């Protein structure tokens, strides 16, 4: 299944070293100004080789809108976006085509499908996330109509944590660092790993502001469940936290409860979601990325014949996938909120009467 | 949306203080022995008032199969399960019917629907999870046919963590404790919170063994994404970890990678999932529950008129929802694996030929 | 799959001779007055043994609401409806339990599932349509809020066709006849078939009025496609026509086109749907039911061992399923329109702004 | 919603006069040989301007596979197909850009979305069916692995009906005529309509052979319901018949029932489907297309301002959409059967054991 979302939904396609990656976005409401350059600017944030902190594989990642937009306005028809691949060096993968790179999806795709596209991980490559970012840009456009803002940045790298979250700063930082005072140490952790032929894990913080209260579809498309699926589905994510997250399991009710007064919530331990529905407060999410599995140190693995082999990887890889992951997390979260906005539109007879006017 | 799963799926219904809770399970393969007493035995693990560590609200929680089973065998027709409610004291909720209990879903349901069933939280009550446990029992029955085992227990309460995970011991423990050496301290944490009119958070560990390699539907119904949604969708869950989880974000690639030899994986940092597909190794999950929001200390909140009010809660509540949450997590995880087992059946032409025989 | 609809959707359960039939209705907008007696009155139209023109199997078909309604108002939670079975004579089926009744689903269920509930056809029985009618009543309640009316009746029996469609008369007719002048001949056709131990086919006409223009989700949940699926999915339906229907294939464009003037469409050959979207004109549907396969004449068939056998059926059966089929068609059509009403709510940014107010 | 199918599913995109039309096919089983030239050959059957009986708009309709195939074999990843548009004369539509062509979707798209792409009908154009035909080719490839054959042809044009169905002859006929003895009269009807600036309706017959018994997902994704939706969803279809179809409503049970002996069914009034599940006999479908709404005679209509106007259409149009509709019907039917093949794979525990081997 390559479809995500219920109403505002995307279907993506494409492999790392195939012809193209792309997506079809379904049920985009008609009447939205679709700004091609804006999609491109979102994609550019994710673009490889932008800084020395990401992979040096060069891709211009130019997006093209194939359908669904007429005279700059969405028509209600599906919007197809395509990004043609350019800089595929399949030769990088010749020496590993019959072995399973440790902690990659090579082994599991082979077990599932009996065949695998070994060039850059094929479909399992993080390259596919370009499609999510492009689609996310359109979702963000829609959210902008309602003043909903999705912000993200690097909270931690290799355990070096931010003490504050300055999203404006993050937008300008080469590694999207949320805390200027920790940025240098975090950058150093990335470069040290890179120079050692190794990689490092990292943590991304996402904040969504101005979400109307009432979004989320209980009981099995809850807002937190949908966000959990979207984020856990990003390549390399191993943990997702909402609000207090892991820490909530250590607290007492009297510490964790968000009391209210006439102005609303006095605290936001919940991270903006109660009972799977938005409260109107900020939605706070933390996403933990594992270190890039592609490292250059010699490793031991199995080949397709089941033999144990040693090998060293070649190619160009991100030393810390969390950095570009910050952009991806931002996009998928936007997709979820857009979907919930649409789904909630018919939650009451009162809402329907506003539309059908009786 | 009250449906969970793609093929092996459940649709649940019912409120805390309504007539009944229940579910319809769709696409259960025909030919499965359905053992009503087994469903009941799973439900009994979750049953309230079983020990002093859970709510004292008494419910016999007797399950009744309404359809889909003929002469003890599943027919392929949907299986409807119903549990009639018995011990509803709606009067407990008279004093709070117009106010929003802190960190409950009262506020968000009211915002979404403009109406709420204030009796015990109505649809947002954890009582609904009885339906998930009943459905999960049938999923476990199916998994049993393939030797897949789902085990769960309490890893931590109020920050007191197990040092080892003995699932057999957990099955006998009143609080499903995984580590006998920590059980007393964990129990004490629950009771202290209870006596103080407070509550405590906790962490559940789930392990799934003997999962065939190849389960999970990339790219947007990945095994980890589906598990993330299922677990984050349980009442009170604020964080989900897979394998190394949060810790993965602190490691280097050389530490986190799972190398292989001719016998398979040498480690299991991945927690049994790579690229969203099962590796065949154990799937390890940690789920963090917030403390029960229902506490008996005086709290401040808003009422439906938007005024600030103080109040004290009455009634019978779990001092630590993680305890019964362990049973629920076990059930929903079983539902996910059953669904993936069905979905994967058609992943290759080779599989289809085994069935259609050409 | 036992779920129908995308947003306003139903999941049904139950067998002819099991404990109960019922359904769970998902995403009913909150704030709808749910009138239990109204659901019952719709069910009563379909009730067996109401007249001599239907089966004499007696069922009181009493519906019970298990969830989703609080103080007479829908809460947004799923509405579970259950009808317990009463008058199951399983003994009627003892002599046919190992053979396949001609033109019944016995053979196909056995081939698909390797097991079948032979009592009255089990899941494949038209008894399940009671659940659709009950759910349809709630859909009609919602449609009523927007003045949308769904009317139905018998157009033809055994080839004897109505010349006009008087839906008010049909409501009072024992066989829901649309044309008083043809009613006697149609009744006679039913009774003659019945007396001969035979059965007869029939045709139902459904008209939906006051549908707002714009309903239907192109391109693969078009209004006509969804209606086609809903109607073709009713037991015994072999053809569905919209507007001119079959006749359209014989016409010229100049005859079939619906020209317009400033007041709207001058004709309605389209039957209220263009490009899969409602035009605002009446939606006209014809549904052709095969004759009841349960006849009392001696027939030849296969048994489960693959041998050829002769047998005679016992029991109580409708001589013309189209009669009660008229009620079922009315219900499923209502479900489709309700679903489309919800789905269309988010089709434009303008609509969303009416709801989220920015 | 632009997605069709449950597991083997397609999402299409593109407009008549946009950049491209295409689709993403999801859950194609891995290991299928994908023959690009075969997809092209199916597309060529539908290609405009192939004969004088179809529109003279010239499109080379070259298909390009963007993903999901590696070394000529499907990998399990989504297969994206794209056909770039070439011969768009938007100028043909300048004179009608603010008016609603009678019996086209112009009016309904405008009502639904508040905006419309007037160039050739935009998304509502039959041009989109090229994507269905391309996807259908891959479905047919899969069906071929199991010897399932889907055949189609013209049964009637303007009421001139075939007396026999020779599918081999149809493949060679310029109008896909099923009956050589009627072909000339049918051709003449097309050309006469064309010369008069008019158009004509027609009827397509589809036969599916060698379908395994047991396909179809009761109760709401029945094989007949799914086929009904697929066919009713083709542009211009106003009626769908299965087996006896309309005629079944005129028969007696003793005439319509398909009795059996030890060799199987003695007749096939059912058209290969009972209870929504395939019997193993041929599936017979008739599909009735309205006459092309694009005619060149002067017509009266409304413009976007609601005024009554007269106009004459320009451009190049099919005089009888049923002709190319025969190819489209063949394709969508193939998609349905492929989907059902996949869905049924997990219908029994026995099937699952064949795959998971325990």
């Amino acid at each position: 299944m390559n479809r995500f979302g219920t109403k505002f939904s995307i279907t993506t396609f494409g492999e790392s070293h195939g012809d193209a990656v792309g997506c079809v976005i379904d049920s985009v409401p008609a009447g939205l100004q679709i700004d091609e350059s804006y999609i491109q600017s979102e994609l550019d944030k994710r673009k490889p080789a932008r800084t020395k902190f990401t992979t040096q594989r060069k891709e211009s990642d130019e997006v093209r809108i194939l359908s669904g937009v007429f005279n700059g306005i969405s028509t209600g028809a599906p919007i197809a976006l395509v990004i043609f691949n350019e800089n595929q060096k399949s030769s990088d993968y010749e020496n590993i085509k019959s072995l399973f790179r440790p902690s990659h999806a090579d082994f599991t795709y082979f077990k599932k499908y009996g065949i695998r596209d070994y060039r850059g991980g094929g479909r399992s490559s993080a390259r596919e996330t370009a499609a999510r970012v492009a689609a996310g840009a359109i979702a963000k456009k829609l959210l902008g109509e309602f003043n909903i803002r999705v912000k993200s940045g690097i909270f931690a790298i290799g355990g070096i944590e931010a003490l504050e979250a300055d999203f404006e700063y993050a937008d300008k930082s080469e590694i999207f660092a949320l805390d200027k005072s920790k940025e240098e140490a975090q950058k150093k952790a990335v470069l040290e790993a890179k120079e050692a032929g190794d990689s490092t894990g990292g943590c991304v913080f996402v904040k969504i502001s101005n979400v109307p209260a009432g979004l989320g579809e209980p009981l099995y498309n809850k807002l937190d469940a949908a966000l959990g699926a979207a984020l856990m589905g990003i390549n390399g994510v191993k943990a997702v936290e909402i609000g207090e997250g892991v820490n909530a399991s250590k607290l007492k009710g009297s510490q964790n409860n968000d009391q209210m007064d006439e102005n609303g919530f006095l605290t936001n331990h919940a991270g903006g979601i109660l009972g799977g529905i938005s409260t109107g407060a900020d939605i706070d999410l933390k996403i933990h990325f594992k270190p890039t599995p592609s490292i250059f140190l010699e490793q031991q693995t199995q080949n397709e014949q089941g033999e144990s082999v040693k090998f060293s990887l070649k190619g160009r890889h991100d030393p810390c996938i969390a950095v570009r992951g910050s952009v991806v997390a931002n996009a998928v979260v936007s997709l979820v909120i857009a979907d919930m906005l649409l789904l909630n539109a018919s939650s009451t007879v009162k809402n329907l009467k506003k539309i059908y006017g009786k």
Side-chain angles (χ1 to χ4, degrees), chain A:
Chain A
M1 203 180 76
N2 292 275
R3 178 165 164 267
F4 176 73
T6 296
K7 191 135 176 51
F8 189 107
S9 65
I10 65 169
T11 302
T12 74
F13 62 88
E15 292 92 30
S16 176
H17 286 61
D19 281 359
V21 296
C23 61
V24 185
I25 317 171
D26 210 339
S27 296
V28 179
L32 186 67
Q33 259 192 298
I34 302 283
D35 195 340
E36 199 166 22
S37 64
Y38 172 69
I39 305 177
Q40 192 62 56
S41 70
E42 287 294 303
L43 264 175
D44 288 349
K45 290 183 195 167
R46 182 205 161 277
K47 198 159 69 177
R50 213 176 51 108
T51 71
K52 62 186 166 186
F53 301 97
T54 63
T55 174
Q56 295 308 300
R57 176 179 171 185
K58 286 201 170 53
E59 287 280 0
S60 62
D61 274 1
E62 260 179 63
V63 68
R64 186 173 164 192
I65 300 178
L66 293 184
S67 67
V69 178
F70 184 47
N71 293 336
I73 306 287
S74 66
T75 63
I79 299 178
L81 303 177
V82 67
I83 300 160
F84 284 95
N85 289 332
E86 290 173 346
N87 190 21
Q88 315 103 314
K89 288 199 200 165
S90 294
S91 57
D92 282 351
Y93 296 91
E94 274 306 309
N95 73 321
I96 55 151
K97 64 190 256 187
S98 67
L99 55 81
F100 306 123
R101 292 169 298 163
S103 295
H104 269 282
D106 299 344
F107 178 76
T108 54
Y109 271 69
F110 188 69
K111 286 289 174 186
K112 184 175 190 75
Y113 296 116
I115 183 179
R116 69 185 170 106
D117 180 348
Y118 54 78
R119 304 163 308 163
R123 179 70 181 153
S124 72
S125 166
R127 173 132 194 81
E128 184 270 352
T129 59
R132 301 187 216 184
V133 171
I138 291 180
K140 287 177 82 162
K141 256 301 196 191
L142 178 64
L143 300 186
E145 296 281 321
F146 304 95
N147 260 323
I148 304 169
R149 302 288 165 211
V150 181
K151 294 165 283 186
S152 62
I154 285 291
F155 181 76
I157 284 178
I160 303 163
E161 296 191 356
L163 301 175
E164 58 164 346
D166 180 342
F167 291 98
E168 280 186 47
Y169 184 76
D171 278 349
K172 293 172 292 189
S173 160
E174 284 180 314
I175 57 163
F176 306 117
L178 285 164
D179 184 345
K180 191 180 176 179
S181 75
K182 296 291 178 182
E183 185 180 17
E184 281 317 304
Q186 291 172 334
K187 281 183 167 178
K188 203 175 146 206
V190 175
L191 292 181
E192 275 178 5
K194 185 181 175 179
E195 277 150 32
D198 209 337
S199 65
T200 179
C203 172
V204 164
F205 182 31
V206 179
K207 183 181 275 296
I208 323 173
S209 305
N210 283 326
V211 179
L215 300 196
E217 298 295 297
L219 264 167
Y220 296 110
N221 196 13
K222 285 178 168 178
L223 184 49
D224 36 11
L227 290 167
L231 294 167
M232 203 65 100
I234 298 175
N235 309 44
V237 171
K238 301 305 283 185
V240 176
E241 303 184 78
I242 297 183
E244 281 289 341
V246 166
N247 195 46
S249 71
K250 298 171 186 161
L251 297 180
K252 292 217 154 61
S254 54
Q255 296 168 312
N256 186 66
N257 276 6
D258 296 313
Q259 302 193 39
M260 302 180 82
D261 68 11
E262 63 279 7
N263 298 313
F265 293 100
L266 301 175
T267 51
N268 186 20
H269 299 285
I273 302 175
L274 286 175
I277 303 173
S278 62
T279 63
D282 283 2
I283 296 177
D284 294 326
L285 302 156
K286 270 194 202 136
I287 308 113
H288 298 268
F289 288 82
K290 72 178 185 185
T292 323
S294 294
I295 58 174
F296 300 99
L297 304 169
E298 192 189 63
Q299 294 181 93
Q300 183 178 358
T301 191
Q302 238 185 52
N303 63 17
E304 289 186 9
Q305 287 70 45
E307 299 156 341
S308 178
V309 289
K310 295 200 171 178
F311 80 106
S312 290
L313 209 61
K314 291 170 189 169
R316 300 151 298 174
H317 305 286
D318 281 286
C320 176
I321 50 177
V323 174
R324 296 205 283 151
S326 166
V327 182
V328 180
N330 192 304
V332 300
V333 156
S334 301
L335 291 166
V336 170
I337 304 294
D339 195 21
M340 291 298 176
L341 210 60
L342 270 62
L343 290 173
N344 182 58
S346 60
S347 55
T348 63
V349 174
K350 202 172 159 192
N351 278 357
L352 293 175
K353 290 201 172 174
K354 285 180 190 165
I355 288 165
Y356 298 109
K358 267 158 198 160

